[in-house]
Amino acid sequence: GLFVTDYFTRTPRKLSPFRSFASIELFHFHIPEDTVIAVWNLITFKEQGGTFGDQCPDRSITVYFRSGAPSVINPLHTHFPRDTAVPGSFALTLTWTLPNRTTGVFNVTSPLPGDWFLAAHLPKDEGKISVKGLYEECQYLFQPQLIVQRLVNIAVLYPGYVTEQSMAPHNRSCLYKVFVPSYTSRVLVEVLRCRGAEGCPLWLRVRAKAPPLHNSTALDCREHAPCQLALDLPFWQHWYYVLVEKHPGVPGTVSFQVTVQLTDCSRPGLGRPPFLPSSASMNMPHSFGSAGGLALGDGPPPASPNGTKHPVSIPTASSAGERCWPIRPTLRNELDTFSVHFYIFFGPNVSVPPDRPAVFVISLLPVLDSGGVLNLELRLNVSSLCGENVTVFGCLNHEVPLMSGDNTSVTCETESLAGFLLSVNATASLSRLRIPYPQTGSWYLSLRSLCATEHGFEPCTNVTAEVYLRAYLSPCINDCGIYGQCKLLRTNNYLYAACECKAGWNGWGCTDNAEAFSYGFQLLSTLLLCLSNVMFVPPVAIAVRSHYLLEAAVYIFTMFFSTFYHACDQPGIVVFCIMEYDVLQFCDFLGSLMSVWVTVIAMARLQPVVKQASAGRGHVLYLLGAMLLSMALQMDRHGLWNLLGPSLFALGIMAVAWTARTIRRRHCYPPTWKRWAFYLCPGALIAAAAVLLYAFVETEENYFYIHSIWHLLIAGSVGFLLPPRAKPTGRLGPLPRRKGCGYQLCVNEQEELGLVDPAVASINSICTS
């Protein structure tokens, strides 16, 4: 055949250490039909500060592959919530071959067409809290590329017609495909009139959706005459591929004919048993739709270039396994993203008769619905059993209902069909099933009622069980509980939801409490972080005593918002928020930086020249610092230099002021060694220790203790560094005289400076017009 090669690539993305599914990087690909091989080229490289990270450590990268929906991964081996079905996926770990770059290759022969998802992440880290911008972090970038090779012009087989084929000596196989419409209960592929050098040296292989593999359903035509391969319960609305392969070492030309017969159980004369009840007797509308594609009895198809086609007779289906029942549709009601309820007509109570199954269909939209959780709930009405030991079994299967005629079967799987089993009885009247990231398409639920006897399960007589059926799509399992947050994530145009757990809880639905924080520990951590802010009370008292009223107001502001911010920032259930979290965080960060700013400006002793330029203009530098810090916090609340820059600017002002005083006085400022020994040096050492703890020691495990110590050290350093009350020195000169507009303006110099008591001292007033 003719091969066509397609190439797809994705933008490199930075990988993160695994903490939950919200921390992985997801990549979405689409593999076209008739693809015979798909090759993923997995490129990984390191970066540090915009250059290649040759010095970065080698960290293993795990990549997951899954067709139809994202992988449900569990690298930390946590427990899944109850009644959760975990679909399988393939994982690959990449190892480094070069100091800063590595490449991995993943081949898939005859992949399933449609959506494929890749998920990648780094191993879990130690939980160190690093300050953003303190140093250049190592970044691990991952870029997948996909190369597919597909066949074009594959011969199409039409049901009921014969295709003649001659396989030349240099050819090894012939590939065909046939479309299987809905309500097809059986596919029969047959090789006729096979003539070769050694009888019929052919292998017949059949596979759904993609070309057959070595482990696909196969039949050796040399050992079976006639060479017929039958598939019961085929997937609906899909292509089936037929591969006729020649045995190795067979010389000469092999000629044969291929025909496909489909059993349509939705046609009364072509497979429906005569005793099938009508839709009216089931109290529901007849829900058979069009078969879709070429159905039996339609007009003859056009001639194929592979050979002449002749119609053959189709036998009428008569076996129990070829029957199918009317399928009751569900009404789709979309409430929100990944929040869909499926309502059943004449429901939600469903009657399950003893002699036939009740079949329902749940349709999930392509791509859109695969990022949530499919939930199914069965509740048995025990009063409807009339004292019988009845068990209602439910089989949930993808793309085809399980319509087995064996009423004693309690399995939902066949050789080529996998499903999920639910059961309810008088003892356990409730059953749930959750499927994270379900494959899209049609999901079929078949309900059957069987009675338990000494010899196993047997069909019941005259007992119609009543079951409450609820099916819905939700973003996360139980909304991640009280110890998790359900996050809506996006990769390009694909949306998916995942839980992000807190307070030590783990798992897909935040239900694994192996490392969970106890209530006492949560209460202790909250009290430590909140009550450690009481250490700001001594600096407030010192500021008030020294007449630093503005500084005292800033310290009170910081103490208040830091207390309530940490009360609202707790990961557990001991949480108290007086306003929105973002407002509390902004005020906490602003108060912390303003405390540093006003303390340093107070230490600079800029008054009365700059800080109090005039009575009307107020504190210029204080206002300027508040505006600059607000701007920095708005730009990047966690950026190091956006926050450190204004603080260094204030320290620069203090250094200039102290240097000017030292030069003018020709003596070191502050002048006394006691000020240096008992206040400035201890305060500076305490502040440095606090910064080092905050930047290098703080982790997620010790956050409650280290950050509480940070509060104590910062507040204590402020108490040491705040300068004493300014004393009046020298003789004050007269103030500039201001002129009034047509009236006398009296200025009392000493009273305005607040240096003497006007009730005791004599007052010298200056009056001017």
Side-chain angles (χ1 to χ4, degrees):
L2 178 63
F3 290 93
V4 175
T5 302
D6 295 328
Y7 175 81
F8 309 93
T9 185
R10 295 294 179 265
T11 305
R13 292 190 205 155
K14 175 186 173 183
L15 298 182
S16 302
F18 183 83
R19 303 177 64 182
S20 65
F21 198 86
S23 60
I24 65 102
E25 290 296 328
L26 192 66
F27 300 87
H28 178 208
F29 289 91
H30 183 83
I31 292 183
E33 292 183 344
D34 305 335
T35 298
V36 294
I37 188 170
V39 180
W40 270 282
N41 189 28
L42 310 174
I43 303 173
T44 308
F45 50 94
K46 307 173 186 175
E47 281 189 359
Q48 187 176 20
T51 60
F52 287 110
D54 296 336
Q55 306 302 323
C56 294
D58 294 342
R59 306 185 67 183
S60 60
I61 296 173
T62 308
V63 186
Y64 300 84
F65 299 82
R66 189 187 175 201
S67 170
S71 302
V72 181
I73 65 177
N74 186 23
L76 302 181
H77 307 290
T78 57
H79 296 290
F80 280 87
R82 293 183 56 188
D83 309 318
T84 302
V86 183
S89 59
F90 184 83
L92 177 68
T93 301
L94 301 180
T95 57
W96 293 91
T97 56
L98 295 175
N100 54 24
R101 183 184 178 92
T102 185
T103 303
V105 178
F106 181 68
N107 299 336
V108 181
T109 305
S110 298
L112 296 177
D115 300 303
W116 278 73
F117 294 87
L118 274 67
H121 65 83
L122 296 173
K124 184 181 179 181
D125 58 4
E126 303 84 5
K128 186 179 183 304
I129 301 177
S130 59
V131 180
K132 182 179 178 182
L134 185 60
Y135 55 88
E136 296 292 345
E137 297 183 359
C138 289
Q139 296 185 0
Y140 298 82
L141 302 179
F142 178 75
Q143 180 183 21
Q145 300 172 347
L146 173 63
I147 303 174
V148 298
Q149 195 175 50
R150 57 187 176 90
L151 274 170
V152 295
N153 298 327
I154 298 179
V156 178
L157 299 177
Y158 293 93
Y161 287 81
V162 173
T163 299
E164 296 182 356
Q165 184 70 51
S166 179
M167 193 181 302
H170 62 275
N171 288 340
R172 294 179 53 189
S173 62
C174 293
L175 184 63
Y176 310 91
K177 63 180 181 179
V178 59
F179 187 77
V180 177
S182 299
Y183 306 103
T184 300
S185 60
R186 194 165 184 258
V187 176
L188 179 64
V189 182
E190 187 174 5
V191 175
L192 307 172
R193 299 181 182 180
C194 177
R195 294 183 298 273
E198 300 177 2
C200 187
L202 298 177
W203 278 95
L204 179 61
R205 303 181 188 273
V206 180
R207 185 189 177 199
K209 305 178 185 178
L213 298 169
H214 65 280
N215 58 351
S216 301
T217 305
L219 184 69
D220 190 353
C221 292
R222 288 192 299 190
E223 301 177 358
H224 297 82
C227 187
Q228 295 180 343
L229 188 58
L231 300 176
D232 293 327
L233 299 176
F235 295 110
W236 293 353
Q237 299 291 328
H238 284 288
W239 288 99
Y240 268 71
Y241 290 80
V242 179
L243 179 66
V244 181
E245 192 174 15
K246 186 164 53 176
H247 281 271
V250 175
T253 302
V254 180
S255 61
F256 57 90
Q257 295 178 345
V258 180
T259 181
V260 178
Q261 301 174 11
L262 304 182
T263 302
D264 189 349
C265 62
S266 67
R267 303 293 179 92
L270 296 177
R272 181 180 297 172
F275 53 83
L276 181 67
S278 63
S279 61
S281 64
M282 299 185 70
N283 192 25
M284 62 179 178
H286 194 77
S287 59
F288 289 132
S290 60
L294 185 68
L296 301 180
D298 292 343
S304 171
N306 294 318
T308 307
K309 297 189 176 182
H310 306 283
V312 296
S313 60
I314 304 299
T316 301
S318 58
S319 64
E322 294 173 349
R323 72 178 67 175
C324 64
W325 308 98
I327 298 176
R328 296 177 62 173
T330 56
L331 177 64
R332 178 186 177 93
N333 184 20
E334 297 186 8
L335 304 178
D336 203 347
T337 304
F338 301 130
S339 182
V340 182
H341 284 197
F342 300 96
Y343 295 102
I344 300 172
F345 292 99
F346 310 102
N349 293 324
V350 177
S351 297
V352 183
D355 57 342
R356 60 181 181 268
V359 186
F360 305 88
V361 60
I362 300 171
S363 298
L364 300 184
L365 298 181
V367 181
L368 297 179
D369 292 343
S370 62
V373 180
L374 179 60
N375 301 268
L376 196 64
E377 181 179 323
L378 290 179
R379 189 186 300 272
L380 178 64
N381 186 1
V382 181
S383 61
S384 65
L385 304 182
C386 302
E388 297 287 339
N389 191 7
V390 178
T391 301
V392 177
F393 293 95
C395 283
L396 184 66
N397 299 92
H398 188 229
E399 296 178 336
V400 59
L402 186 63
M403 300 174 295
S404 175
D406 184 10
N407 284 333
T408 61
S409 175
V410 293
T411 180
C412 296
E413 297 182 0
T414 62
E415 183 180 353
S416 60
L417 184 64
F420 303 96
L421 176 64
L422 299 90
S423 63
V424 287
N425 51 34
T427 305
S429 60
L430 178 63
S431 179
R432 292 188 179 94
L433 176 65
R434 303 182 181 97
I435 305 177
Y437 297 159
Q439 293 179 309
T440 56
S442 298
W443 287 83
Y444 295 92
L445 177 64
S446 304
L447 299 178
R448 291 176 297 168
S449 61
L450 299 175
C451 289
T453 62
E454 298 178 354
H455 308 287
F457 289 99
E458 295 181 357
C460 299
T461 57
N462 299 327
V463 177
T464 300
E466 187 176 278
V467 177
Y468 170 82
L469 175 60
R470 184 187 180 203
Y472 61 97
L473 192 71
S474 63
C476 300
I477 297 178
N478 291 337
D479 201 24
C480 302
I482 60 176
Y483 289 104
Q485 181 181 6
C486 186
K487 288 194 171 183
L488 185 63
L489 309 171
R490 185 182 70 175
T491 169
N492 293 334
N493 293 327
Y494 180 74
L495 291 175
Y496 60 102
C499 287
E500 192 171 71
C501 307
K502 54 187 179 181
W505 290 73
N506 294 303
W508 196 262
C510 301
T511 56
D512 190 339
N513 61 351
E515 301 177 358
F517 300 158
S518 64
Y519 179 81
F521 181 81
Q522 295 179 41
L523 182 61
L524 175 63
S525 62
T526 304
L527 292 177
L528 280 176
L529 289 170
C530 294
L531 297 182
S532 59
N533 289 285
V534 179
M535 189 64 183
F536 273 96
V537 172
V540 170
I542 294 173
V544 172
R545 183 173 178 272
S546 301
H547 287 197
Y548 290 107
L549 301 183
L550 191 146
E551 287 80 356
V554 172
Y555 300 154
I556 293 173
F557 179 91
T558 303
M559 179 176 61
F560 177 84
F561 279 102
S562 180
T563 300
F564 287 100
Y565 164 67
H566 286 292
C568 185
D569 188 47
Q570 295 307 301
I573 59 176
V574 186
V575 179
F576 179 72
C577 299
I578 62 173
M579 57 183 68
E580 292 186 3
Y581 175 83
D582 189 69
V583 176
L584 291 173
Q585 187 186 65
F586 179 85
C587 293
D588 173 59
F589 284 30
L590 179 62
S592 301
L593 294 174
M594 279 298 298
S595 298
V596 177
W597 177 272
V598 298
T599 303
V600 175
I601 296 300
M603 294 170 62
R605 297 279 197 180
L606 297 178
Q607 69 276 13
V609 179
V610 178
K611 193 179 71 171
Q612 295 177 342
S614 65
R617 292 172 184 168
H619 307 287
V620 176
L621 283 180
Y622 286 166
L623 183 59
L624 178 62
M627 292 187 294
L628 290 177
L629 292 174
S630 300
M631 179 195 68
L633 290 174
Q634 189 64 26
M635 291 174 58
D636 188 356
R637 198 165 295 179
H638 298 278
L640 175 65
W641 292 107
N642 286 340
L643 308 180
L644 195 58
S647 300
L648 294 178
F649 180 60
L651 290 173
I653 294 176
M654 185 190 72
V656 171
W658 284 12
T659 303
R661 281 192 175 89
T662 301
I663 295 173
R664 188 176 67 249
R665 298 181 179 184
R666 297 180 181 180
H667 191 278
C668 182
Y669 183 84
T672 62
W673 66 270
K674 294 183 179 180
R675 184 67 187 168
W676 285 97
F678 297 108
Y679 294 97
L680 294 181
C681 290
L685 291 176
I686 294 174
V691 172
L692 292 177
L693 285 177
Y694 180 81
F696 300 104
V697 181
E698 201 170 74
T699 63
E700 294 180 358
E701 294 183 357
N702 62 20
Y703 173 79
F704 311 110
Y705 312 109
I706 299 299
H707 202 77
S708 299
I709 298 174
W710 150 268
H711 288 164
L712 299 176
L713 294 179
I714 286 295
S717 66
V718 169
F720 278 95
L721 295 176
L722 197 66
R725 179 182 179 183
K727 298 180 180 179
T729 58
R731 186 172 179 177
L732 295 173
L735 290 178
R737 300 186 179 186
R738 294 174 292 181
K739 294 183 179 181
C741 299
Y743 58 90
Q744 286 188 338
L745 182 62
C746 298
V747 180
N748 188 313
E749 299 176 355
Q750 294 184 352
E751 182 181 2
E752 197 169 89
L753 290 177
L755 301 180
V756 294
D757 190 351
V760 178
S762 60
I763 300 176
N764 297 323
S765 298
I766 304 173
C767 299
T768 183
S769 297

